[in-house]
Amino acid sequence: MATINDNYLKLKAGYLFPEIARRVNAFAEANPEAQIIRLGIGDVTEPLPQACRTAMIKAVEEMGDRATFKGYGPEQGYAWLREKIAAQDFQARGANIDASEIFISDGSKCDTGNILDIFGKNNIIAVTDPVYPVYVDTNVMAGNTGIANDQGEFEGLVYLPISADNNFIAEIPTQKVDLIYLCFPNNPTGATATKEYLQAWVDYAKANGSIIFFDAAYEAYITDPAIPHSIYEIAGARECAIEFRSFSKNAGFTGTRCALTVVPKTLTAKAADGTDVELWKLWNRRQSTKFNGVSYIIQRGAEAVYSQEGQAQIKALVNFYLENAKIIREQLSAAGLAVYGGINAPYVWVKTPNGLSSWEFFDKLLQTVNVVGTPGSGFGAAGEGYFRISAFNSRENVETAMQRITEKFKV
């Protein structure tokens, strides 16, 4: 008789976003006349930039000619894309990252889970609370945790609470941890990290032989020049950090899929016999075995992001969503709600009014004003009593949703 991976049985009944979809679908079926506005998941709504579309169309045409047809590409990604990423995203900011250290993939969500393949089972793992659920769930699936308690906290994880009391910035642990998940600008709270704060984490990681998993999927939304876009802008990060980035939230590639992971060749971890092993070699071996690479067409579209036209169009796209975030933040604040984030980030983190729980507020918003957000408790126990609203939608929908909410929930 075949057996299963019992670690999956430790997971909650449903991943956060499918559970949201289930509730919304049930409400929509029961109320077909309701005009539902979805500000829950972080899915973009605006068209792909023209520069990317043009490049993809040209690439499709190339696929129709034997002379320019492309079959299997390099698993690590085409050099012409990696070189542009290295030059414009990292070297231009003083981060010493070479194109050979960049791996093109189909999503940072995938990579933040898949990276666990190259790490052992005896690591002590730290996550912030609230946290992007993928970090926790993939560790559960990999067998790195015990069971969850009544608050949903899993044995074997070190939780670092973040709330308004500490400005949504986790304190560096006093105990030793081996793997550390950091996300800035933060999903779900919208918080950002100063250079000094990240330097403290890098110093901690180097002192303890730890590895930082740095999720920079939302770095394009940083407008404050004092805030780092990459962990590699911090001295010493090449010796202790892996960075994840995505084309989804800056260039609208949520449906076309393209991302990247940076693994410096100077980064090592310990084998069972105590020897130092280069993580670049392990990740390269993992990707070469389990991944066939991102399509040529999509990578040409991603390359166009770094053209002069692409940069201007990306900036306009990001500014559009930042303006949405500003509308959400200002409208909810004016209604008397406690609001955080929404500056240098596309997410607004709201304190639920009148003592409502996160899911109670979700249901109330859905049922009374037909607006969908994300319950904070879905991101962890410390997210209870908070609610995430995404700026990814049309201007009309954002303005309509804010009008509905503020009229109903004015404090």
Side-chain angles (χ1 to χ4, degrees):
M1 175 68 71
T3 61
I4 65 165
N5 178 353
D6 283 346
N7 293 305
Y8 278 69
L9 302 180
K10 302 173 188 173
L11 294 167
K12 296 178 182 179
Y15 180 57
L16 173 61
F17 298 108
E19 173 60 18
I20 289 173
R22 185 191 67 78
R23 295 193 185 203
V24 173
N25 290 339
F27 177 81
E29 289 178 7
N31 301 272
E33 77 291 346
Q35 296 181 335
I36 299 172
I37 297 176
R38 292 169 169 83
L39 299 176
I41 65 173
D43 194 3
V44 297
T45 59
E46 302 308 295
L48 285 171
Q50 180 64 57
C52 299
R53 301 200 307 271
T54 299
M56 289 179 185
I57 291 169
K58 183 176 183 294
V60 169
E61 292 172 347
E62 290 177 17
M63 298 296 273
D65 186 330
R66 179 173 289 173
T68 52
F69 173 81
K70 297 292 189 297
Y72 288 125
E75 289 91 349
Q76 192 177 348
Y78 287 98
W80 37 259
L81 174 56
R82 291 186 286 110
E83 287 165 0
K84 287 183 172 61
I85 292 168
Q88 296 191 40
D89 284 344
F90 295 100
Q91 294 164 13
R93 294 188 177 279
N96 182 25
I97 294 298
D98 187 77
S100 66
E101 299 172 313
I102 295 168
F103 293 79
I104 306 301
S105 76
D106 58 355
S108 55
K109 174 182 177 180
C110 306
D111 284 358
T112 56
N114 292 335
I115 197 70
L116 295 173
D117 282 2
I118 68 172
F119 288 93
K121 302 297 183 185
N122 58 346
N123 289 302
I124 301 172
I125 300 160
V127 296
T128 58
D129 183 9
V131 67
Y132 182 41
V134 171
Y135 308 157
V136 172
D137 287 357
T138 52
N139 273 287
V140 176
M141 293 172 178
N144 294 336
T145 74
I147 61 173
N149 61 21
D150 292 340
Q151 287 74 46
E153 298 168 329
F154 286 92
E155 296 173 0
L157 295 182
V158 175
Y159 289 87
L160 308 175
I162 55 177
S163 68
D165 294 335
N166 58 11
N167 294 316
F168 302 100
I169 298 295
E171 293 183 11
I172 294 175
T174 55
Q175 70 186 100
K176 181 182 182 301
V177 298
D178 301 304
L179 303 178
I180 304 154
Y181 289 84
L182 297 179
C183 176
F184 291 106
N186 185 254
N187 178 17
T189 68
T192 54
T194 65
K195 187 173 184 178
E196 292 74 21
Y197 178 70
L198 293 180
Q199 186 68 66
W201 270 113
V202 168
D203 293 345
Y204 169 90
K206 292 182 66 177
N208 289 279
S210 312
I211 301 294
I212 296 171
F213 296 154
F214 191 77
D215 188 344
Y218 301 96
E219 61 79 28
Y221 291 83
I222 296 172
T223 58
D224 185 340
I227 298 174
H229 287 243
S230 169
I231 191 72
Y232 302 118
E233 295 177 49
I234 308 303
R238 283 185 54 87
E239 285 72 50
C240 66
I242 294 172
E243 183 164 306
F244 306 90
R245 289 199 178 198
S246 174
F247 289 91
S248 287
K249 302 309 193 295
N250 63 343
F253 276 49
T254 55
T256 46
R257 311 306 302 148
C258 196
L260 63 109
T261 293
V262 182
V263 184
K265 292 183 177 179
T266 48
L267 190 59
T268 64
K270 294 290 184 183
D273 63 5
T275 58
D276 291 326
V277 178
E278 294 180 25
L279 293 178
W280 184 94
K281 292 181 178 179
L282 299 185
W283 185 242
N284 186 56
R285 185 68 171 85
R286 190 268 174 208
Q287 292 297 83
S288 298
T289 302
K290 291 188 174 185
F291 184 59
N292 256 356
V294 175
S295 81
Y296 171 76
I297 296 165
I298 299 302
Q299 290 192 62
R300 281 301 186 191
E303 180 193 29
V305 166
Y306 299 96
S307 66
Q308 184 175 353
E309 298 82 4
Q311 287 291 289
Q313 291 162 16
I314 293 300
K315 183 177 180 180
L317 195 58
V318 169
N319 285 342
F320 174 83
Y321 291 125
L322 280 174
E323 182 63 24
N324 279 353
K326 180 181 179 182
I327 291 169
I328 295 168
R329 189 181 71 249
E330 291 181 349
Q331 290 287 324
L332 296 182
S333 295
L337 296 171
V339 177
Y340 310 92
I343 302 173
N344 300 302
Y347 295 122
V348 178
W349 191 240
V350 184
K351 182 67 177 172
T352 57
N354 306 319
L356 292 172
S357 73
S358 296
W359 278 107
E360 286 172 344
F361 190 55
F362 172 89
D363 288 333
K364 205 169 189 64
L365 276 184
L366 176 61
Q367 294 164 13
T368 60
V369 297
N370 307 150
V371 174
V372 178
T374 310
S377 59
F379 297 100
E384 180 54 75
Y386 290 94
F387 197 77
R388 193 191 76 175
I389 297 181
S390 168
F392 295 117
N393 214 307
S394 69
R395 183 63 44 78
E396 179 183 4
N397 278 348
V398 166
E399 290 177 341
T400 301
M402 291 307 101
Q403 181 180 2
R404 292 181 190 176
I405 294 173
T406 54
E407 288 177 354
K408 184 70 177 180
F409 293 96
K410 193 169 186 177
V411 177

